[in-house]
Amino acid sequence: MSSTDTAAGRRGAAEVSVGDELPPLSVRITRADLVRYAGASLDFNPIHWNERFARQVGLPDVIAHGMLTMALGGRLVTDWAGDPGAVVEYGVRFTRPVVVPDDDEGALVEFTGKVAEQREDGTFRIDITARSAGQTVLGRAAAVVRLA
Amino acid sequence: MALDESFTGRVYPPSSTFEVSREKIREFADAIGDPSPLYRDVAAARAAGYPDVIAPPTFAVIISMKANDVIISDPDLGLDYCRVVHGDQSFVHHRPIRAGDRLVAVAHVDSVMSRAGNDFLSVRAELGTENGEPVTTARATLVARGTADAAKGASQ
């Protein structure tokens, strides 16, 4: 009933225990990534591509879209679950900006996750951490997944 | 100037229809670096039980952010958008968004609050099909830094 009757790569509920850690995900975000995400998401706020504007509003440099960081945290969960449609809830607080310098290295963001709870309806809550430049950049990041 | 707290509970007219295309889903998946075949390959999506390719969990922000613009730009509310930062975001998916969906968003103001000199605006976009099927509930808190009356002087 769990993993045997699901499509290849989809994780079954029976394979999961509270306390399990998800495979970590490290992503480098460059300015080019911000331009691509701006176009895909239609979020053209200049703080994500215009250094001059970012500094004018008191930021140290161009910063990544918080929603891009959130999306990457979502990848941590969907890669593990094997089915993006398993995510029934996902929420984050944006606690610190991810500063993206104008170079080829960009900013490294590292995501980890852990199965924190199995809820009464059988879904699992995954708690996510996201760190960049030695600091957490998301707060209370958690997804709820419904696994077959 | 602090925001008008009587805006709490306000509901705006439905947005125009956003037609979710396979190409927009693929473009968004590319932009978040996610190679999942369920975003790109109709056969893979159908094998997984979906009628068409599905969208990543945060794809809904394209539609919810646009829906929230009607609140942010409401001249009666008087939000200074230059001072607004995104405080938090959450999605509840009643089902995955998929290619072919024709979605309409209704924007709600859930609360307006001033604290420590900042204005906190909690907004919600209810995304559903044109036929009224609920698809995604997107909530966000927008923080306008240093615009509340209490902040005058202190935050400058």
Side-chain angles (χ1 to χ4, degrees), chain A residues 10 36-37 39-43 67-68 70-72 75 78 83-85 87-94, chain B residues 24 27-28 31-34 38-39 48 50 54 58 61-62 65 86-93 96:
Chain A
R10 293 169 97 182
R36 186 175 295 113
Y37 183 79
S41 68
L42 309 178
D43 181 347
M67 287 305 305
L68 173 56
M70 182 179 184
L72 297 172
R75 260 182 67 194
T78 57
D83 177 6
V87 176
V88 293
E89 294 180 29
Y90 182 28
V92 307
R93 291 175 65 200
F94 303 106
Chain B
K24 193 67 190 172
E27 180 188 14
F28 191 88
I32 65 170
D34 192 328
L38 299 190
Y39 300 145
Y50 301 109
I54 60 172
T58 63
V61 74
I62 302 171
M65 196 169 62
H86 199 171
D88 62 42
Q89 179 70 48
S90 73
F91 301 100
V92 175
H93 294 296

mmCIF file of all heavy atoms in Angstrom, chain A residues 10 36-37 39-43 67-68 70-72 75 78 83-85 87-94, chain B residues 24 27-28 31-34 38-39 48 50 54 58 61-62 65 86-93 96:
data_model
loop_
_atom_site.group_PDB
_atom_site.id
_atom_site.type_symbol
_atom_site.label_atom_id
_atom_site.label_comp_id
_atom_site.label_asym_id
_atom_site.label_seq_id
_atom_site.Cartn_x
_atom_site.Cartn_y
_atom_site.Cartn_z
ATOM 1 N N ARG A 10 8.737 7.960 -6.058
ATOM 2 C CA ARG A 10 7.863 8.596 -5.069
ATOM 3 C C ARG A 10 8.017 7.876 -3.733
ATOM 4 O O ARG A 10 7.949 6.656 -3.650
ATOM 5 C CB ARG A 10 6.409 8.535 -5.523
ATOM 6 C CG ARG A 10 6.165 9.376 -6.762
ATOM 7 C CD ARG A 10 4.813 9.077 -7.337
ATOM 8 N NE ARG A 10 3.802 10.037 -6.902
ATOM 9 C CZ ARG A 10 2.522 9.944 -7.266
ATOM 10 N NH1 ARG A 10 2.096 8.928 -7.993
ATOM 11 N NH2 ARG A 10 1.670 10.849 -6.876
ATOM 12 N N ARG A 36 16.899 35.413 -14.204
ATOM 13 C CA ARG A 36 16.029 34.349 -14.724
ATOM 14 C C ARG A 36 14.787 34.194 -13.835
ATOM 15 O O ARG A 36 13.674 34.069 -14.329
ATOM 16 C CB ARG A 36 16.806 33.027 -14.791
ATOM 17 C CG ARG A 36 16.043 31.905 -15.442
ATOM 18 C CD ARG A 36 16.885 30.644 -15.594
ATOM 19 N NE ARG A 36 17.997 30.843 -16.510
ATOM 20 C CZ ARG A 36 19.283 30.843 -16.166
ATOM 21 N NH1 ARG A 36 19.642 30.607 -14.924
ATOM 22 N NH2 ARG A 36 20.210 31.047 -17.069
ATOM 23 N N TYR A 37 15.001 34.240 -12.517
ATOM 24 C CA TYR A 37 13.847 34.086 -11.619
ATOM 25 C C TYR A 37 12.909 35.293 -11.735
ATOM 26 O O TYR A 37 11.679 35.145 -11.677
ATOM 27 C CB TYR A 37 14.287 33.888 -10.160
ATOM 28 C CG TYR A 37 13.089 33.654 -9.274
ATOM 29 C CD1 TYR A 37 12.476 32.404 -9.231
ATOM 30 C CD2 TYR A 37 12.507 34.700 -8.553
ATOM 31 C CE1 TYR A 37 11.324 32.194 -8.475
ATOM 32 C CE2 TYR A 37 11.363 34.495 -7.798
ATOM 33 C CZ TYR A 37 10.779 33.245 -7.765
ATOM 34 O OH TYR A 37 9.634 33.046 -7.036
ATOM 35 N N GLY A 39 12.251 37.033 -14.349
ATOM 36 C CA GLY A 39 11.426 36.856 -15.538
ATOM 37 C C GLY A 39 10.371 35.778 -15.354
ATOM 38 O O GLY A 39 9.219 35.934 -15.757
ATOM 39 N N ALA A 40 10.765 34.671 -14.732
ATOM 40 C CA ALA A 40 9.830 33.553 -14.581
ATOM 41 C C ALA A 40 8.717 33.889 -13.595
ATOM 42 O O ALA A 40 7.579 33.476 -13.769
ATOM 43 C CB ALA A 40 10.590 32.307 -14.121
ATOM 44 N N SER A 41 9.059 34.647 -12.543
ATOM 45 C CA SER A 41 8.077 34.924 -11.490
ATOM 46 C C SER A 41 7.356 36.248 -11.697
ATOM 47 O O SER A 41 6.405 36.552 -10.981
ATOM 48 C CB SER A 41 8.773 34.966 -10.132
ATOM 49 O OG SER A 41 9.633 36.099 -10.061
ATOM 50 N N LEU A 42 7.863 37.049 -12.636
ATOM 51 C CA LEU A 42 7.319 38.385 -12.906
ATOM 52 C C LEU A 42 7.515 39.334 -11.723
ATOM 53 O O LEU A 42 6.770 40.280 -11.544
ATOM 54 C CB LEU A 42 5.834 38.319 -13.314
ATOM 55 C CG LEU A 42 5.504 37.333 -14.442
ATOM 56 C CD1 LEU A 42 4.007 37.326 -14.713
ATOM 57 C CD2 LEU A 42 6.271 37.699 -15.713
ATOM 58 N N ASP A 43 8.551 39.052 -10.924
ATOM 59 C CA ASP A 43 8.897 39.948 -9.814
ATOM 60 C C ASP A 43 10.133 40.749 -10.211
ATOM 61 O O ASP A 43 11.255 40.255 -10.127
ATOM 62 C CB ASP A 43 9.168 39.131 -8.543
ATOM 63 C CG ASP A 43 9.521 40.024 -7.345
ATOM 64 O OD1 ASP A 43 9.801 41.228 -7.538
ATOM 65 O OD2 ASP A 43 9.518 39.505 -6.221
ATOM 66 N N MET A 67 11.385 34.764 -2.413
ATOM 67 C CA MET A 67 10.596 33.671 -2.989
ATOM 68 C C MET A 67 11.462 32.666 -3.744
ATOM 69 O O MET A 67 11.055 31.518 -3.906
ATOM 70 C CB MET A 67 9.511 34.232 -3.927
ATOM 71 C CG MET A 67 8.367 34.914 -3.195
ATOM 72 S SD MET A 67 7.573 33.867 -1.946
ATOM 73 C CE MET A 67 7.114 32.436 -2.911
ATOM 74 N N LEU A 68 12.641 33.100 -4.229
ATOM 75 C CA LEU A 68 13.556 32.132 -4.850
ATOM 76 C C LEU A 68 14.146 31.226 -3.763
ATOM 77 O O LEU A 68 14.191 30.002 -3.925
ATOM 78 C CB LEU A 68 14.661 32.857 -5.620
ATOM 79 C CG LEU A 68 15.779 31.969 -6.188
ATOM 80 C CD1 LEU A 68 15.217 30.876 -7.105
ATOM 81 C CD2 LEU A 68 16.807 32.809 -6.943
ATOM 82 N N MET A 70 12.767 30.543 -0.980
ATOM 83 C CA MET A 70 11.654 29.659 -0.572
ATOM 84 C C MET A 70 11.466 28.519 -1.574
ATOM 85 O O MET A 70 11.253 27.363 -1.186
ATOM 86 C CB MET A 70 10.371 30.480 -0.440
ATOM 87 C CG MET A 70 9.185 29.647 0.029
ATOM 88 S SD MET A 70 7.675 30.639 0.225
ATOM 89 C CE MET A 70 6.554 29.388 0.903
ATOM 90 N N ALA A 71 11.549 28.848 -2.853
ATOM 91 C CA ALA A 71 11.370 27.823 -3.887
ATOM 92 C C ALA A 71 12.450 26.751 -3.787
ATOM 93 O O ALA A 71 12.179 25.549 -3.958
ATOM 94 C CB ALA A 71 11.380 28.463 -5.272
ATOM 95 N N LEU A 72 13.682 27.168 -3.487
ATOM 96 C CA LEU A 72 14.780 26.208 -3.370
ATOM 97 C C LEU A 72 14.581 25.318 -2.137
ATOM 98 O O LEU A 72 14.868 24.116 -2.177
ATOM 99 C CB LEU A 72 16.120 26.943 -3.314
ATOM 100 C CG LEU A 72 16.455 27.746 -4.584
ATOM 101 C CD1 LEU A 72 17.700 28.591 -4.358
ATOM 102 C CD2 LEU A 72 16.640 26.820 -5.782
ATOM 103 N N ARG A 75 12.361 22.700 -3.135
ATOM 104 C CA ARG A 75 13.044 21.633 -3.888
ATOM 105 C C ARG A 75 13.619 20.577 -2.970
ATOM 106 O O ARG A 75 13.623 19.389 -3.297
ATOM 107 C CB ARG A 75 14.182 22.234 -4.717
ATOM 108 C CG ARG A 75 13.855 22.446 -6.157
ATOM 109 C CD ARG A 75 15.069 22.982 -6.869
ATOM 110 N NE ARG A 75 16.153 22.016 -6.940
ATOM 111 C CZ ARG A 75 17.406 22.317 -7.280
ATOM 112 N NH1 ARG A 75 17.713 23.561 -7.590
ATOM 113 N NH2 ARG A 75 18.319 21.392 -7.332
ATOM 114 N N THR A 78 10.613 18.465 -2.286
ATOM 115 C CA THR A 78 10.033 17.728 -3.420
ATOM 116 C C THR A 78 11.028 16.721 -3.992
ATOM 117 O O THR A 78 10.624 15.651 -4.450
ATOM 118 C CB THR A 78 9.531 18.689 -4.522
ATOM 119 O OG1 THR A 78 10.603 19.523 -4.964
ATOM 120 C CG2 THR A 78 8.410 19.570 -3.997
ATOM 121 N N ASP A 83 7.634 13.702 -5.505
ATOM 122 C CA ASP A 83 6.381 14.154 -6.128
ATOM 123 C C ASP A 83 6.051 15.544 -5.596
ATOM 124 O O ASP A 83 5.650 15.686 -4.440
ATOM 125 C CB ASP A 83 5.246 13.176 -5.781
ATOM 126 C CG ASP A 83 3.910 13.641 -6.328
ATOM 127 O OD1 ASP A 83 3.864 14.657 -7.065
ATOM 128 O OD2 ASP A 83 2.892 12.992 -6.010
ATOM 129 N N PRO A 84 6.227 16.573 -6.434
ATOM 130 C CA PRO A 84 5.931 17.931 -5.963
ATOM 131 C C PRO A 84 4.486 18.099 -5.516
ATOM 132 O O PRO A 84 4.184 18.946 -4.673
ATOM 133 C CB PRO A 84 6.212 18.804 -7.197
ATOM 134 C CG PRO A 84 7.030 17.950 -8.112
ATOM 135 C CD PRO A 84 6.678 16.525 -7.827
ATOM 136 N N GLY A 85 3.607 17.280 -6.062
ATOM 137 C CA GLY A 85 2.195 17.380 -5.694
ATOM 138 C C GLY A 85 1.912 16.883 -4.284
ATOM 139 O O GLY A 85 0.797 17.049 -3.779
ATOM 140 N N VAL A 87 3.247 18.118 -1.690
ATOM 141 C CA VAL A 87 3.337 19.264 -0.765
ATOM 142 C C VAL A 87 1.963 19.931 -0.670
ATOM 143 O O VAL A 87 1.490 20.548 -1.617
ATOM 144 C CB VAL A 87 4.391 20.280 -1.248
ATOM 145 C CG1 VAL A 87 4.407 21.504 -0.339
ATOM 146 C CG2 VAL A 87 5.773 19.627 -1.275
ATOM 147 N N VAL A 88 1.329 19.786 0.477
ATOM 148 C CA VAL A 88 0.001 20.378 0.645
ATOM 149 C C VAL A 88 0.054 21.723 1.376
ATOM 150 O O VAL A 88 -0.864 22.531 1.256
ATOM 151 C CB VAL A 88 -0.977 19.410 1.345
ATOM 152 C CG1 VAL A 88 -1.269 18.229 0.434
ATOM 153 C CG2 VAL A 88 -0.448 18.915 2.684
ATOM 154 N N GLU A 89 1.123 21.959 2.126
ATOM 155 C CA GLU A 89 1.312 23.262 2.763
ATOM 156 C C GLU A 89 2.792 23.575 2.765
ATOM 157 O O GLU A 89 3.617 22.663 2.900
ATOM 158 C CB GLU A 89 0.827 23.279 4.232
ATOM 159 C CG GLU A 89 -0.649 23.106 4.407
ATOM 160 C CD GLU A 89 -1.048 23.123 5.885
ATOM 161 O OE1 GLU A 89 -0.349 23.778 6.686
ATOM 162 O OE2 GLU A 89 -2.033 22.462 6.219
ATOM 163 N N TYR A 90 3.091 24.869 2.658
ATOM 164 C CA TYR A 90 4.491 25.289 2.731
ATOM 165 C C TYR A 90 4.519 26.743 3.140
ATOM 166 O O TYR A 90 3.857 27.572 2.512
ATOM 167 C CB TYR A 90 5.172 25.091 1.367
ATOM 168 C CG TYR A 90 6.650 25.453 1.332
ATOM 169 C CD1 TYR A 90 7.448 25.380 2.461
ATOM 170 C CD2 TYR A 90 7.234 25.865 0.139
ATOM 171 C CE1 TYR A 90 8.794 25.702 2.411
ATOM 172 C CE2 TYR A 90 8.579 26.179 0.074
ATOM 173 C CZ TYR A 90 9.356 26.107 1.215
ATOM 174 O OH TYR A 90 10.698 26.431 1.163
ATOM 175 N N GLY A 91 5.279 27.033 4.204
ATOM 176 C CA GLY A 91 5.342 28.418 4.667
ATOM 177 C C GLY A 91 6.718 28.758 5.205
ATOM 178 O O GLY A 91 7.422 27.886 5.729
ATOM 179 N N VAL A 92 7.113 30.018 5.053
ATOM 180 C CA VAL A 92 8.394 30.492 5.576
ATOM 181 C C VAL A 92 8.249 31.935 6.062
ATOM 182 O O VAL A 92 7.351 32.656 5.647
ATOM 183 C CB VAL A 92 9.530 30.476 4.514
ATOM 184 C CG1 VAL A 92 9.661 29.112 3.857
ATOM 185 C CG2 VAL A 92 9.324 31.561 3.470
ATOM 186 N N ARG A 93 9.175 32.306 6.953
ATOM 187 C CA ARG A 93 9.376 33.728 7.255
ATOM 188 C C ARG A 93 10.715 34.139 6.647
ATOM 189 O O ARG A 93 11.679 33.369 6.668
ATOM 190 C CB ARG A 93 9.427 33.952 8.756
ATOM 191 C CG ARG A 93 8.082 33.727 9.441
ATOM 192 C CD ARG A 93 8.216 33.840 10.937
ATOM 193 N NE ARG A 93 8.585 35.190 11.338
ATOM 194 C CZ ARG A 93 9.133 35.489 12.514
ATOM 195 N NH1 ARG A 93 9.407 34.530 13.382
ATOM 196 N NH2 ARG A 93 9.431 36.735 12.817
ATOM 197 N N PHE A 94 10.752 35.340 6.109
ATOM 198 C CA PHE A 94 11.988 35.851 5.515
ATOM 199 C C PHE A 94 12.723 36.640 6.584
ATOM 200 O O PHE A 94 12.338 37.764 6.912
ATOM 201 C CB PHE A 94 11.662 36.715 4.297
ATOM 202 C CG PHE A 94 10.875 35.983 3.258
ATOM 203 C CD1 PHE A 94 9.517 36.234 3.078
ATOM 204 C CD2 PHE A 94 11.470 34.995 2.477
ATOM 205 C CE1 PHE A 94 8.783 35.546 2.137
ATOM 206 C CE2 PHE A 94 10.733 34.297 1.538
ATOM 207 C CZ PHE A 94 9.385 34.569 1.368
ATOM 208 N N LYS B 24 4.945 28.125 -19.083
ATOM 209 C CA LYS B 24 5.217 28.957 -17.889
ATOM 210 C C LYS B 24 5.692 28.074 -16.736
ATOM 211 O O LYS B 24 6.598 28.453 -15.988
ATOM 212 C CB LYS B 24 3.964 29.750 -17.491
ATOM 213 C CG LYS B 24 4.248 30.845 -16.480
ATOM 214 C CD LYS B 24 5.111 31.961 -17.075
ATOM 215 C CE LYS B 24 5.598 32.944 -16.020
ATOM 216 N NZ LYS B 24 6.576 33.900 -16.605
ATOM 217 N N GLU B 27 9.286 27.178 -17.515
ATOM 218 C CA GLU B 27 10.145 28.342 -17.309
ATOM 219 C C GLU B 27 10.404 28.557 -15.816
ATOM 220 O O GLU B 27 11.535 28.829 -15.392
ATOM 221 C CB GLU B 27 9.449 29.580 -17.910
ATOM 222 C CG GLU B 27 10.227 30.868 -17.783
ATOM 223 C CD GLU B 27 9.405 32.087 -18.208
ATOM 224 O OE1 GLU B 27 8.173 31.982 -18.350
ATOM 225 O OE2 GLU B 27 10.013 33.158 -18.373
ATOM 226 N N PHE B 28 9.358 28.409 -15.007
ATOM 227 C CA PHE B 28 9.502 28.604 -13.561
ATOM 228 C C PHE B 28 10.372 27.502 -12.962
ATOM 229 O O PHE B 28 11.254 27.771 -12.130
ATOM 230 C CB PHE B 28 8.112 28.620 -12.907
ATOM 231 C CG PHE B 28 8.123 29.078 -11.478
ATOM 232 C CD1 PHE B 28 8.014 30.424 -11.158
ATOM 233 C CD2 PHE B 28 8.248 28.164 -10.435
ATOM 234 C CE1 PHE B 28 8.032 30.851 -9.834
ATOM 235 C CE2 PHE B 28 8.266 28.587 -9.113
ATOM 236 C CZ PHE B 28 8.156 29.929 -8.816
ATOM 237 N N ALA B 31 13.877 28.185 -13.653
ATOM 238 C CA ALA B 31 14.392 29.311 -12.869
ATOM 239 C C ALA B 31 14.715 28.909 -11.429
ATOM 240 O O ALA B 31 15.504 29.578 -10.765
ATOM 241 C CB ALA B 31 13.384 30.466 -12.875
ATOM 242 N N ILE B 32 14.111 27.835 -10.945
ATOM 243 C CA ILE B 32 14.451 27.368 -9.595
ATOM 244 C C ILE B 32 15.357 26.130 -9.678
ATOM 245 O O ILE B 32 15.600 25.470 -8.659
ATOM 246 C CB ILE B 32 13.198 27.100 -8.736
ATOM 247 C CG1 ILE B 32 12.352 25.945 -9.274
ATOM 248 C CG2 ILE B 32 12.360 28.374 -8.640
ATOM 249 C CD1 ILE B 32 11.246 25.501 -8.315
ATOM 250 N N GLY B 33 15.815 25.823 -10.896
ATOM 251 C CA GLY B 33 16.797 24.760 -11.084
ATOM 252 C C GLY B 33 16.271 23.369 -10.790
ATOM 253 O O GLY B 33 17.032 22.483 -10.406
ATOM 254 N N ASP B 34 14.978 23.167 -10.984
ATOM 255 C CA ASP B 34 14.375 21.884 -10.610
ATOM 256 C C ASP B 34 14.078 21.046 -11.858
ATOM 257 O O ASP B 34 13.207 21.411 -12.642
ATOM 258 C CB ASP B 34 13.084 22.140 -9.833
ATOM 259 C CG ASP B 34 12.571 20.877 -9.164
ATOM 260 O OD1 ASP B 34 12.777 19.774 -9.717
ATOM 261 O OD2 ASP B 34 11.974 20.987 -8.083
ATOM 262 N N LEU B 38 7.889 15.870 -13.661
ATOM 263 C CA LEU B 38 6.459 16.163 -13.474
ATOM 264 C C LEU B 38 6.127 17.610 -13.842
ATOM 265 O O LEU B 38 4.969 17.963 -14.013
ATOM 266 C CB LEU B 38 6.035 15.883 -12.034
ATOM 267 C CG LEU B 38 6.201 14.444 -11.555
ATOM 268 C CD1 LEU B 38 5.538 14.234 -10.206
ATOM 269 C CD2 LEU B 38 5.640 13.458 -12.567
ATOM 270 N N TYR B 39 7.175 18.449 -13.994
ATOM 271 C CA TYR B 39 6.970 19.839 -14.419
ATOM 272 C C TYR B 39 7.048 19.992 -15.937
ATOM 273 O O TYR B 39 6.762 21.061 -16.465
ATOM 274 C CB TYR B 39 8.045 20.750 -13.813
ATOM 275 C CG TYR B 39 8.108 20.783 -12.306
ATOM 276 C CD1 TYR B 39 9.333 20.906 -11.666
ATOM 277 C CD2 TYR B 39 6.955 20.723 -11.525
ATOM 278 C CE1 TYR B 39 9.419 20.962 -10.282
ATOM 279 C CE2 TYR B 39 7.043 20.773 -10.140
ATOM 280 C CZ TYR B 39 8.263 20.889 -9.525
ATOM 281 O OH TYR B 39 8.353 20.952 -8.159
ATOM 282 N N ALA B 48 1.987 9.651 -13.012
ATOM 283 C CA ALA B 48 1.933 9.909 -11.567
ATOM 284 C C ALA B 48 0.512 10.247 -11.112
ATOM 285 O O ALA B 48 0.306 10.569 -9.937
ATOM 286 C CB ALA B 48 2.888 11.055 -11.218
ATOM 287 N N TYR B 50 -1.613 12.654 -12.545
ATOM 288 C CA TYR B 50 -2.086 14.020 -12.782
ATOM 289 C C TYR B 50 -2.577 14.154 -14.216
ATOM 290 O O TYR B 50 -2.039 13.511 -15.121
ATOM 291 C CB TYR B 50 -0.959 15.027 -12.527
ATOM 292 C CG TYR B 50 -0.422 14.952 -11.110
ATOM 293 C CD1 TYR B 50 0.844 14.445 -10.842
ATOM 294 C CD2 TYR B 50 -1.206 15.370 -10.045
ATOM 295 C CE1 TYR B 50 1.327 14.364 -9.543
ATOM 296 C CE2 TYR B 50 -0.737 15.292 -8.737
ATOM 297 C CZ TYR B 50 0.536 14.786 -8.493
ATOM 298 O OH TYR B 50 0.995 14.695 -7.215
ATOM 299 N N ILE B 54 2.325 19.414 -13.533
ATOM 300 C CA ILE B 54 1.962 20.212 -12.362
ATOM 301 C C ILE B 54 3.020 21.280 -12.129
ATOM 302 O O ILE B 54 4.105 21.243 -12.711
ATOM 303 C CB ILE B 54 1.759 19.341 -11.105
ATOM 304 C CG1 ILE B 54 3.039 18.566 -10.746
ATOM 305 C CG2 ILE B 54 0.591 18.390 -11.321
ATOM 306 C CD1 ILE B 54 2.954 17.839 -9.408
ATOM 307 N N THR B 58 5.724 26.710 -5.119
ATOM 308 C CA THR B 58 5.671 28.169 -4.959
ATOM 309 C C THR B 58 5.267 28.906 -6.241
ATOM 310 O O THR B 58 5.285 30.136 -6.271
ATOM 311 C CB THR B 58 7.026 28.735 -4.471
ATOM 312 O OG1 THR B 58 8.029 28.477 -5.464
ATOM 313 C CG2 THR B 58 7.450 28.106 -3.146
ATOM 314 N N VAL B 61 2.829 31.966 -6.406
ATOM 315 C CA VAL B 61 3.151 33.345 -6.050
ATOM 316 C C VAL B 61 3.009 34.278 -7.255
ATOM 317 O O VAL B 61 2.726 35.465 -7.100
ATOM 318 C CB VAL B 61 4.566 33.453 -5.453
ATOM 319 C CG1 VAL B 61 5.658 33.305 -6.507
ATOM 320 C CG2 VAL B 61 4.720 34.770 -4.698
ATOM 321 N N ILE B 62 3.188 33.750 -8.448
ATOM 322 C CA ILE B 62 3.022 34.589 -9.645
ATOM 323 C C ILE B 62 1.617 35.189 -9.640
ATOM 324 O O ILE B 62 1.417 36.373 -9.919
ATOM 325 C CB ILE B 62 3.217 33.759 -10.933
ATOM 326 C CG1 ILE B 62 4.594 33.107 -10.962
ATOM 327 C CG2 ILE B 62 2.988 34.625 -12.158
ATOM 328 C CD1 ILE B 62 4.747 32.101 -12.106
ATOM 329 N N MET B 65 0.831 37.242 -6.009
ATOM 330 C CA MET B 65 1.480 38.546 -5.896
ATOM 331 C C MET B 65 0.753 39.573 -6.763
ATOM 332 O O MET B 65 0.561 40.721 -6.361
ATOM 333 C CB MET B 65 2.941 38.434 -6.309
ATOM 334 C CG MET B 65 3.797 39.597 -5.879
ATOM 335 S SD MET B 65 5.552 39.254 -6.109
ATOM 336 C CE MET B 65 5.609 39.024 -7.883
ATOM 337 N N HIS B 86 8.772 41.832 2.266
ATOM 338 C CA HIS B 86 7.978 40.608 2.351
ATOM 339 C C HIS B 86 8.361 39.920 3.668
ATOM 340 O O HIS B 86 9.498 39.492 3.828
ATOM 341 C CB HIS B 86 8.366 39.752 1.138
ATOM 342 C CG HIS B 86 7.396 38.692 0.781
ATOM 343 N ND1 HIS B 86 7.512 37.970 -0.381
ATOM 344 C CD2 HIS B 86 6.313 38.208 1.416
ATOM 345 C CE1 HIS B 86 6.524 37.094 -0.439
ATOM 346 N NE2 HIS B 86 5.795 37.210 0.630
ATOM 347 N N GLY B 87 7.434 39.858 4.610
ATOM 348 C CA GLY B 87 7.763 39.296 5.915
ATOM 349 C C GLY B 87 7.649 37.785 5.966
ATOM 350 O O GLY B 87 8.505 37.091 6.510
ATOM 351 N N ASP B 88 6.576 37.276 5.417
ATOM 352 C CA ASP B 88 6.419 35.827 5.356
ATOM 353 C C ASP B 88 5.487 35.458 4.211
ATOM 354 O O ASP B 88 4.819 36.332 3.628
ATOM 355 C CB ASP B 88 5.917 35.229 6.687
ATOM 356 C CG ASP B 88 4.546 35.743 7.094
ATOM 357 O OD1 ASP B 88 3.647 35.858 6.242
ATOM 358 O OD2 ASP B 88 4.366 36.026 8.282
ATOM 359 N N GLN B 89 5.485 34.169 3.905
ATOM 360 C CA GLN B 89 4.660 33.673 2.802
ATOM 361 C C GLN B 89 4.278 32.239 3.110
ATOM 362 O O GLN B 89 5.110 31.467 3.604
ATOM 363 C CB GLN B 89 5.456 33.701 1.490
ATOM 364 C CG GLN B 89 4.717 33.176 0.276
ATOM 365 C CD GLN B 89 3.598 34.105 -0.168
ATOM 366 O OE1 GLN B 89 3.789 35.312 -0.291
ATOM 367 N NE2 GLN B 89 2.414 33.554 -0.382
ATOM 368 N N SER B 90 3.049 31.888 2.828
ATOM 369 C CA SER B 90 2.675 30.473 2.956
ATOM 370 C C SER B 90 1.647 30.110 1.895
ATOM 371 O O SER B 90 0.942 30.985 1.377
ATOM 372 C CB SER B 90 2.123 30.169 4.347
ATOM 373 O OG SER B 90 0.829 30.722 4.490
ATOM 374 N N PHE B 91 1.640 28.836 1.585
ATOM 375 C CA PHE B 91 0.669 28.304 0.625
ATOM 376 C C PHE B 91 -0.017 27.087 1.225
ATOM 377 O O PHE B 91 0.645 26.241 1.849
ATOM 378 C CB PHE B 91 1.362 27.843 -0.669
ATOM 379 C CG PHE B 91 2.124 28.931 -1.364
ATOM 380 C CD1 PHE B 91 3.495 29.029 -1.220
ATOM 381 C CD2 PHE B 91 1.466 29.871 -2.151
ATOM 382 C CE1 PHE B 91 4.207 30.035 -1.852
ATOM 383 C CE2 PHE B 91 2.172 30.889 -2.786
ATOM 384 C CZ PHE B 91 3.550 30.974 -2.639
ATOM 385 N N VAL B 92 -1.312 27.002 1.021
ATOM 386 C CA VAL B 92 -2.032 25.752 1.260
ATOM 387 C C VAL B 92 -2.566 25.321 -0.093
ATOM 388 O O VAL B 92 -3.300 26.075 -0.750
ATOM 389 C CB VAL B 92 -3.194 25.947 2.266
ATOM 390 C CG1 VAL B 92 -4.005 24.650 2.387
ATOM 391 C CG2 VAL B 92 -2.657 26.381 3.622
ATOM 392 N N HIS B 93 -2.144 24.130 -0.513
ATOM 393 C CA HIS B 93 -2.577 23.632 -1.823
ATOM 394 C C HIS B 93 -3.734 22.652 -1.640
ATOM 395 O O HIS B 93 -3.561 21.591 -1.055
ATOM 396 C CB HIS B 93 -1.411 22.947 -2.540
ATOM 397 C CG HIS B 93 -0.307 23.899 -2.914
ATOM 398 N ND1 HIS B 93 -0.498 24.920 -3.818
ATOM 399 C CD2 HIS B 93 0.966 24.009 -2.493
ATOM 400 C CE1 HIS B 93 0.632 25.600 -3.944
ATOM 401 N NE2 HIS B 93 1.534 25.081 -3.144
ATOM 402 N N PRO B 96 -2.634 20.304 -6.509
ATOM 403 C CA PRO B 96 -1.551 20.975 -7.254
ATOM 404 C C PRO B 96 -2.111 21.821 -8.414
ATOM 405 O O PRO B 96 -3.082 21.409 -9.077
ATOM 406 C CB PRO B 96 -0.714 19.815 -7.799
ATOM 407 C CG PRO B 96 -1.080 18.625 -6.971
ATOM 408 C CD PRO B 96 -2.513 18.832 -6.562
#
